[in-house]
């Protein structure tokens, strides 16, 4: 798939959600940010330049990637091992999402990623709804046990 086609697909999906794609665009082409209840979702479309062991099987036929990422919480300071174990258990049950961790920024995020050629415009909204649902539901279930702190739009800008 050509990156320009992937970008057009994403922009069409954003428009279908009632958001002007031009208003959601980020600093770089292929980047958008949407916000719901002060929760940011970063939407990215790009073309890989180098294959890696995790994507080698698709790299030869499609270098484009689509990803949505919702910063979930700051990594906890208490009961970290139990927290990671809980997230790995929860990961097994999630549809359209997986947890990831950015140790540099100490941010746990929910992510959905697909090769560009496998992306169907209609599934973007469903995946986005899933990310927001899990973001809220899992936070409510785990916040007290692990003293979780949200990542919000204001913190992301700093």
């Amino acid at each position: 798939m050509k990156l320009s086609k992937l970008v057009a697909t994403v922009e069409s999906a954003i428009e279908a959600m009632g958001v002007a794609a031009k208003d959601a665009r980020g600093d770089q082409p292929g980047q958008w940010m949407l916000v719901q209840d002060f929760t940011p979702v970063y939407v990215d479309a790009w073309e890989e330049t180098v294959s890696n062991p995790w994507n080698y099987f698709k790299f030869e036929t499609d270098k484009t990637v689509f990803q949505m990422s919702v910063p979930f919480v700051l990594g906890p300071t208490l009961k970290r091992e139990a927290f990671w174990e809980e997230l790995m258990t929860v990961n097994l049950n999630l549809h359209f999402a997986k947890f990831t961790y950015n140790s540099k920024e100490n941010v746990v995020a929910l992510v959905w990623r697909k090769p560009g050629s496998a992306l169907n415009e209609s599934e973007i909204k469903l995946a986005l709804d899933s990310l927001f649902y899990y973001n809220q539901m899992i936070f409510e279930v785990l916040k007290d046990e692990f003293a979780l702190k949200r990542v919000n739009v204001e913190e992301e800008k700093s």
Side-chain angles (χ1 to χ4, degrees):
M1 168 177 271
K2 293 208 177 280
L3 182 58
S4 59
K5 183 174 189 255
L6 178 57
V7 167
T9 298
V10 174
E11 294 221 332
S12 178
I14 289 171
E15 295 277 342
M17 289 183 258
V19 176
K22 66 178 182 56
D23 294 338
R25 287 184 189 134
D27 295 335
Q28 302 295 320
Q31 293 180 342
W32 304 265
M33 185 175 86
L34 303 170
V35 178
Q36 179 176 309
D37 299 327
F38 301 103
T39 300
V41 59
Y42 297 96
V43 179
D44 297 287
W46 73 91
E47 187 172 278
E48 292 283 4
T49 56
V50 178
S51 179
N52 70 52
W54 304 112
N55 70 10
Y56 77 93
F57 66 94
K58 192 68 176 160
F59 185 79
E60 293 303 316
T61 58
D62 182 14
K63 293 175 175 52
T64 59
V65 179
F66 173 77
Q67 176 176 288
M68 292 190 294
S69 177
V70 176
F72 175 55
V73 295
L74 297 174
T77 55
L78 304 173
K79 299 175 21 177
R80 285 177 68 86
E81 188 173 319
F83 176 73
W84 300 129
E85 186 175 324
E86 183 68 25
L87 288 191
M88 292 300 97
T89 301
V90 170
N91 247 1
L92 178 63
N93 296 295
L94 301 182
H95 294 287
F96 300 107
K98 62 185 174 187
F99 284 105
T100 188
Y101 178 63
N102 178 327
S103 60
K104 182 179 174 185
E105 296 179 16
N106 191 37
V107 172
V108 180
L110 282 156
V111 177
W112 185 64
R113 177 186 275 199
K114 289 188 84 162
S117 62
L119 182 66
N120 180 324
E121 180 181 331
S122 63
E123 67 188 334
I124 293 174
K125 175 75 165 104
L126 176 61
L128 182 64
D129 289 346
S130 296
L131 289 169
F132 281 128
Y133 170 78
Y134 292 135
N135 179 52
Q136 184 60 36
M137 191 269 291
I138 297 166
F139 178 77
E140 291 302 321
V141 170
L142 301 179
K143 68 180 177 181
D144 293 333
E145 181 179 355
F146 297 105
L148 298 179
K149 291 186 172 70
R150 282 268 194 214
V151 175
N152 65 36
V153 175
E154 294 306 314
E155 290 168 348
E156 282 291 297
K157 289 180 181 178
S158 56

